[in-house]
């Protein structure tokens, strides 16, 4: 695993779940990678002005077309005989489950050899915590001030319906599992999709030191399931106990404050 | 040297000529989405790839937005690309047009001109491309099928010149050019190869040996400078266009200019236009000249960069100037072409009259052109004239009390 592709001291918020994800993903993929990043939290790694936080070539695209840019880059590289380079689309939930869904769906349907990773912090965090299709039911965001009235869009099921060779959910709370999945996805002959749960201390309202714990709680309480689908075969990676108490997860975060009574005990 | 023999003459429509040009330019990645009246370009290219007539990756994408994004990606990876669009498809590309031009990617794209909604129209006018005149793309307008082919081939060479590095649209009138079968001189692959070298990226591209992030956020201290560089490229393009046109003429014996005149010597009145209507204007000029009436035609081939100096020199001596605009210029004093011409005319602006005509596929007939010429000579027109609007314009589709139309 290469550790030197992402600079130290990047300008993400303290305790950023996405930062953990991108370090881990690029560590596995290595330097023969080209990244496409839409505007959003991950764009911080594209850098500002003359400096970038990444040591690989990349392109900052638009919000809705990460998959189309990535597929085009793949086509250009293939024509030039550079088939050993991984093309990585790295987009947040807003750029994936909402505005970017069409171009992602097209790319998946066409079986383009692109690794698409969605880091899911469950809102439009870079613009100030507005709700996305991936925000969970009852979560507070600046555009769902009374709590979101509809459940989280199941993006993994949508991707699964495209019958691509590799689909996986992951979490920054389980890095070994994530690394294994990125390694598998890298060698897939066709599109691969990994959806990483990346808690956001700023948007969700928890202490910056708690990111990994919040991520693990989501999995332990069954609110985020770790699984992979290889050529249509689904495998659950982490089995959880039968005594699930979701309050253990919800009470760690201020965004669910309105729906949890103060005296509720986990 | 291209010899005009039977073997390199073909019957092609504008769409076919555009597809042939992309083939001859050896594009290696194509991504496209079909739209009327551009669809035959997409069909022809996919057939060529299917029959292995060109060595190229062809991708049917799910929208025009993705089509342009896809080829921007491929061009960033270092290859020459192809796509085509029209009307609402071009409008859907709008956001990404700015990415292509801002990243200085020399993409050449045929655009089949078609009116924009609403109401829906399948037919020609220039509103779609006029809406993109500030997108940082060069714009050529073809009069006929031969010009589509030639302007595309010259387009690659101009766009890819290291002093230009700007994307370019070759605009052709929907149906009038795109679907009109004409005899086209088709150059040999060898002669095109000699004219147009293989593609090499001359600016930023995704290079593993020199990793960089392209198109990241920049501060206000640099943004204006980036735009300014694009402006310099447009200025540079004026000379590069001329030299490429000369070179093209030397090899293929077809003469092009950013703006060209037809029988303007001693003309009392001229009509300036773009696209397929230029042919009709020239025909009427011949007819009137035969009757001793001194009129001429001016064809603007290159709208961006706009040939100010050349046009100014040409128009200086002419008493009456009529400008045909195939887009409405709503809320403006004039249509977009006329605005440019008024701007370069100086103090004598009143000698320029604007004609809004040919919207949504309405034919620009000989009769209309004659009417304009005679009216110009008699000083009959106001500054902006909706020349072919029907008398019942305000009553058409007016609802009666029962809800049906009158």
């Amino acid at each position: 695993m290469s550790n030197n592709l992402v600079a130290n001291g990047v300008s993400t918020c303290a305790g950023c779940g996405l930062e953990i994800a991108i370090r881990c993903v690029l560590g596995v993929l290595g330097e023969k990678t080209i990244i496409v990043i839409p505007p959003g939290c991950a764009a911080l790694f594209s850098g500002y002005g003359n400096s970038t936080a990444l040591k690989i070539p990349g392109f900052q695209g638009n919000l809705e077309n990460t998959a189309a840019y990535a597929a085009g880059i793949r086509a250009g590289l293939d024509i030039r005989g550079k088939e050993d380079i991984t093309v990585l689309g790295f987009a947040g939930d807003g750029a994936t489950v909402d505005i970017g869904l069409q171009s992602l769906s097209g790319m998946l349907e066409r079986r383009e050899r692109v690794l698409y990773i969605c880091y899911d912090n469950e809102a439009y965090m870079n613009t100030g915590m507005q709700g996305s299709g991936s925000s969970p039911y009852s979560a507070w965001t600046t555009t769902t001030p009374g709590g979101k009235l509809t459940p989280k869009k199941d993006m993994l099921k949508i991707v699964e319906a495209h019958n691509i060779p590799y689909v996986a959910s992951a979490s920054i709370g389980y890095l070994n599992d994530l690394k294994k999945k990125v390694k598998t996805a890298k060698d897939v002959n066709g599109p691969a999709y990994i959806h990483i749960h990346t808690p956001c201390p700023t948007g969700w309202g928890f202490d910056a030191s708690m990111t990994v714990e919040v991520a693990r709680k989501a999995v332990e309480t069954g609110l985020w399931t770790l699984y992979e689908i290889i050529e249509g075969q689904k495998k659950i990676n982490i089995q959880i106990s039968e005594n699930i108490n979701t309050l253990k997860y919800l009470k760690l975060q201020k965004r669910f404050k309105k729906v949890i009574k103060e005296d509720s005990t986990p | 040297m291209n010899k005009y023999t039977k073997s390199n003459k073909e019957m092609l429509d504008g769409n076919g000529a555009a597809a042939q040009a992309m083939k001859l330019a050896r594009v290696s990645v194509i991504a496209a989405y079909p739209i009327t009246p551009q669809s035959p370009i997409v069909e022809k290219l996919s057939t060529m790839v299917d029959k292995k007539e060109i060595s190229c990756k062809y991708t049917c994408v799910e929208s025009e937005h993705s089509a342009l994004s896809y080829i921007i990606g491929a061009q960033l990876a270092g290859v020459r690309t192809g796509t085509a669009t029209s009307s609402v498809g071009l409008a859907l590309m709008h956001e990404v047009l700015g990415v292509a031009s801002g990243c200085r990617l020399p993409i050449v794209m045929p655009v089949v001109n078609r009116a924009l909604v609403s109401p829906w129209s399948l037919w020609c006018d220039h509103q779609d491309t006029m809406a993109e005149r500030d997108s940082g793309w060069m714009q050529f307008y073809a009069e006929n099928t031969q010009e589509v082919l030639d302007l595309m081939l010259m387009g690659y060479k101009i766009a890819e010149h290291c002093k230009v590095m700007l994307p370019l649209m070759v605009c052709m009138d929907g149906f009038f050019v795109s679907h009109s079968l004409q005899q086209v001189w088709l150059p040999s692959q060898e002669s095109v190869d000699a004219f147009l070298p293989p593609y090499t990226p001359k600016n930023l591209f995704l290079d593993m040996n020199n990793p960089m992030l392209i198109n990241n956020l920049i501060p206000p201290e640099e943004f204006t400078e980036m735009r300014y560089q694009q402006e310099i490229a447009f200025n540079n393009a004026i000379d590069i266009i001329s030299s490429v046109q000369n070179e093209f003429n030397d090899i293929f014996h077809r003469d092009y200019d950013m703006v060209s005149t037809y029988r303007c010597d001693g003309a009392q009145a001229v009509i300036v236009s773009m696209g397929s209507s230029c042919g009709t204007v020239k025909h009427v000029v011949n007819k009137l000249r035969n009757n001793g009436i001194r009129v001429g035609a001016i064809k603007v081939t290159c709208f961006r960069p706009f040939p100010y100096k050349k046009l100014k020199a040409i128009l200086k001596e002419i008493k009456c100037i009529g400008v045909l605009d195939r887009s409405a210029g709503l809320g403006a004093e004039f249509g977009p072409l006329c605005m440019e011409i008024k701007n370069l005319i100086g103090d004598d602006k009143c000698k320029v009259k604007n004609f809004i005509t040919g919207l949504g596929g309405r034919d620009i007939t000989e009769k209309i052109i004659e009417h304009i010429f005679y009216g110009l000579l008699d000083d009959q027109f106001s500054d902006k004239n909706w020349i072919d609007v029907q008398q019942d314009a305000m009553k058409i589709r007016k609802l009666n009390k029962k809800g049906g139309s009158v």
Side-chain angles (χ1 to χ4, degrees):
Chain A
M1 180 157 152
S2 357
N3 291 313
N4 59 350
L5 296 178
V6 185
N8 295 320
V10 298
S11 48
T12 53
C13 305
C16 175
L18 145 70
E19 186 187 340
I20 299 171
I22 198 166
R23 285 183 191 282
C24 180
V25 168
L26 290 184
V28 176
L29 293 179
E31 59 187 4
K32 280 204 160 183
T33 305
I34 290 177
I35 193 168
V36 181
I37 302 176
C41 295
L44 291 165
F45 294 90
S46 301
Y48 179 63
N50 227 0
S51 31
T52 158
L54 299 177
K55 257 192 188 171
I56 52 169
F59 179 65
Q60 193 185 144
N62 306 73
L63 199 54
E64 66 276 51
N65 53 356
T66 306
Y69 280 132
I73 291 168
R74 172 84 274 154
L77 290 174
D78 288 351
I79 289 288
R80 297 182 60 224
K82 300 188 180 294
E83 283 156 17
D84 57 339
I85 297 167
T86 303
V87 179
L88 170 69
F90 195 86
D93 48 297
T96 302
V97 313
D98 292 340
I99 196 169
L101 185 58
Q102 175 177 301
S103 81
L104 174 60
S105 174
M107 185 273 278
L108 298 176
E109 183 254 329
R110 297 189 301 267
R111 297 289 185 275
E112 315 254 15
R113 198 159 59 84
V114 168
L115 169 54
Y116 191 104
I117 289 184
C118 172
Y119 63 92
D120 186 0
N121 52 29
E122 301 188 334
Y124 287 83
M125 291 305 180
N126 199 35
T127 36
M129 299 164 231
Q130 296 89 355
S132 84
S134 200
S135 301
Y137 177 71
S138 82
W140 171 91
T141 70
T142 55
T143 53
T144 57
K148 195 185 175 217
L149 299 173
T150 52
K152 183 181 173 83
K153 195 190 281 188
D154 193 340
M155 189 61 206
L156 281 145
K157 267 196 185 151
I158 295 172
V159 174
E160 187 188 343
H162 290 75
N163 295 313
I164 61 166
Y166 189 77
V167 185
S169 69
S171 161
I172 54 104
Y174 294 82
L175 287 186
N176 285 335
D177 176 73
L178 172 59
K179 282 177 200 167
K180 232 175 85 187
K181 286 170 176 168
V182 175
K183 207 161 173 276
T184 310
K186 183 178 187 278
D187 297 326
V188 164
N189 187 19
Y193 180 90
I194 303 176
H195 195 107
I196 311 175
H197 197 232
T198 58
C200 168
T202 319
W204 297 9
F206 60 80
D207 189 84
S209 64
M210 299 277 286
T211 308
V212 173
E213 193 178 335
V214 170
R216 292 188 77 90
K217 278 280 179 300
V219 176
E220 285 165 15
T221 56
L223 287 169
W224 186 249
T225 312
L226 297 183
Y227 66 94
E228 59 194 331
I229 304 166
I230 306 173
E231 299 292 354
Q233 296 300 308
K234 187 169 177 175
K235 190 175 127 192
I236 305 286
N237 305 112
I238 309 277
Q239 293 292 347
I240 51 164
S241 71
E242 281 173 17
N243 298 318
I244 296 169
N245 187 339
T246 51
L247 277 176
K248 278 183 183 172
Y249 173 68
L250 302 179
K251 280 204 86 174
L252 288 171
Q253 308 165 49
K254 285 190 186 140
R255 62 176 173 158
F256 296 113
K257 223 174 163 184
K258 281 199 177 169
V259 290
I260 301 167
K261 286 180 191 141
E262 278 303 311
D263 54 356
S264 313
T265 45
Chain B
M1 188 74 64
N2 183 42
K3 297 239 165 60
Y4 293 168
T5 59
K6 271 185 184 172
S7 62
N8 57 16
K9 259 195 267 179
E10 255 189 54
M11 290 299 284
L12 289 175
D13 59 14
N15 284 331
Q20 284 294 338
M22 281 192 239
K23 178 187 172 185
L24 289 165
R26 297 186 184 276
V27 295
S28 49
V29 171
I30 296 170
Y33 189 78
I35 176 170
T36 302
Q38 162 265 35
S39 303
I41 300 183
V42 177
E43 291 163 350
K44 281 175 185 31
L45 287 170
S46 50
T47 306
M48 285 176 190
V49 175
D50 184 57
K51 288 184 174 168
K52 297 196 169 38
E53 289 169 13
I54 32 174
S55 161
C56 178
K57 181 174 167 67
Y58 184 95
T59 304
C60 298
V61 287
E62 80 295 340
S63 77
E64 285 90 347
H65 193 281
S66 280
L68 189 55
S69 306
Y70 193 103
I71 66 159
I72 286 172
Q75 197 99 23
L76 281 167
V79 301
R80 191 181 280 148
T81 60
T83 188
T85 193
S86 174
S87 184
V88 286
L90 182 65
L92 185 57
M93 284 181 178
H94 171 73
E95 176 192 23
V96 210
L97 291 173
V99 178
S101 55
C103 289
R104 308 297 295 273
L105 298 172
I107 293 165
V108 176
M109 175 169 72
V111 179
V112 185
N113 283 109
R114 170 183 151 190
L116 278 176
V117 284
S118 271
W120 278 101
S121 167
L122 295 173
W123 299 280
C124 172
D125 73 34
H126 291 171
Q127 176 130 24
D128 52 355
T129 45
M130 281 301 153
E132 304 300 345
R133 70 195 140 151
D134 293 336
S135 62
W137 285 58
M138 295 183 281
Q139 287 193 349
F140 289 171
Y141 287 78
E143 181 188 331
N144 54 42
T145 303
Q146 182 72 61
E147 287 198 5
V148 172
L149 183 99
D150 296 350
L151 291 172
M152 289 277 298
L153 293 178
M154 284 185 270
Y156 289 101
K157 188 138 179 165
I158 294 160
E160 291 171 12
H161 193 283
C162 61
K163 282 184 161 177
V164 180
M165 300 299 295
L166 296 170
L168 185 150
M169 292 173 197
V170 174
C171 310
M172 69 178 106
D173 287 356
F175 297 105
F176 295 115
V177 177
S178 69
H179 285 63
S180 148
L181 267 177
Q182 289 168 17
Q183 180 177 272
V184 172
W185 296 101
L186 204 61
S188 68
Q189 185 67 60
E190 296 71 40
S191 59
V192 174
D193 287 345
F195 171 74
L196 185 66
Y199 181 73
T200 47
K202 299 186 182 77
N203 196 24
L204 305 181
F205 81 111
L206 295 164
D207 183 359
M208 300 314 288
N209 300 318
N210 182 24
M212 67 171 75
L213 264 145
I214 298 169
N215 199 34
N216 62 349
L217 188 69
I218 65 162
E221 286 77 21
E222 282 182 319
F223 192 87
T224 310
E225 284 68 20
M226 297 293 184
R227 277 286 174 277
Y228 181 68
Q229 290 178 23
Q230 287 174 268
E231 171 87 352
I232 298 294
F234 271 97
N235 293 339
N236 291 344
I238 291 176
D239 286 341
I240 306 297
I241 291 168
S242 291
S243 75
V244 170
Q245 284 171 336
N246 290 339
E247 193 186 336
F248 190 85
N249 193 14
D250 286 344
I251 300 174
F252 302 108
H253 310 297
R254 282 191 293 280
D255 197 9
Y256 285 86
D257 209 335
M258 295 174 79
V259 53
S260 44
T261 56
Y262 185 77
R263 302 188 80 170
C264 285
D265 295 343
Q268 298 285 310
V270 297
I271 288 178
V272 185
S273 62
M274 298 197 301
S276 62
S277 61
C278 297
T280 319
V281 177
K282 283 186 259 186
H283 172 72
V284 173
V285 165
N286 286 342
K287 212 166 140 184
L288 298 191
R289 284 264 178 183
N290 287 345
N291 294 332
I293 301 164
R294 288 186 290 158
V295 291
I298 293 172
K299 172 166 87 170
V300 176
T301 299
C302 181
F303 185 68
R304 284 289 180 274
F306 195 72
Y308 285 99
K309 275 189 188 164
K310 280 191 173 176
L311 252 176
K312 200 170 181 175
I314 293 167
L315 294 176
K316 214 167 69 182
E317 307 301 327
I318 292 161
K319 229 168 102 185
C320 303
I321 301 161
V323 182
L324 301 191
D325 263 296
R326 216 161 191 157
S327 45
L330 296 176
E333 206 176 353
F334 306 104
L337 178 60
C338 191
M339 294 249 259
E340 301 286 352
I341 286 169
K342 284 268 182 184
N343 178 46
L344 60 82
I345 274 300
D347 295 337
D348 205 5
K349 286 195 163 107
C350 55
K351 71 179 187 179
V352 181
K353 308 291 180 194
N354 193 196
F355 302 93
I356 306 299
T357 183
L359 303 187
R362 189 80 62 90
D363 203 1
I364 303 176
T365 61
E366 274 179 57
K367 216 173 143 190
I368 288 172
I369 303 294
E370 275 178 37
H371 171 66
I372 291 172
F373 269 131
Y374 284 124
L376 281 172
L377 293 167
D378 292 347
D379 197 18
Q380 279 178 9
F381 292 113
S382 47
D383 288 348
K384 187 180 187 183
N385 308 276
W386 284 67
I387 195 68
D388 51 351
V389 70
Q390 290 174 33
Q391 290 297 319
D392 61 349
M394 302 308 288
K395 286 183 192 158
I396 198 165
R397 299 277 183 97
K398 193 177 176 184
L399 294 182
N400 64 26
K401 278 178 190 167
K402 285 176 187 168
S405 50
V406 178

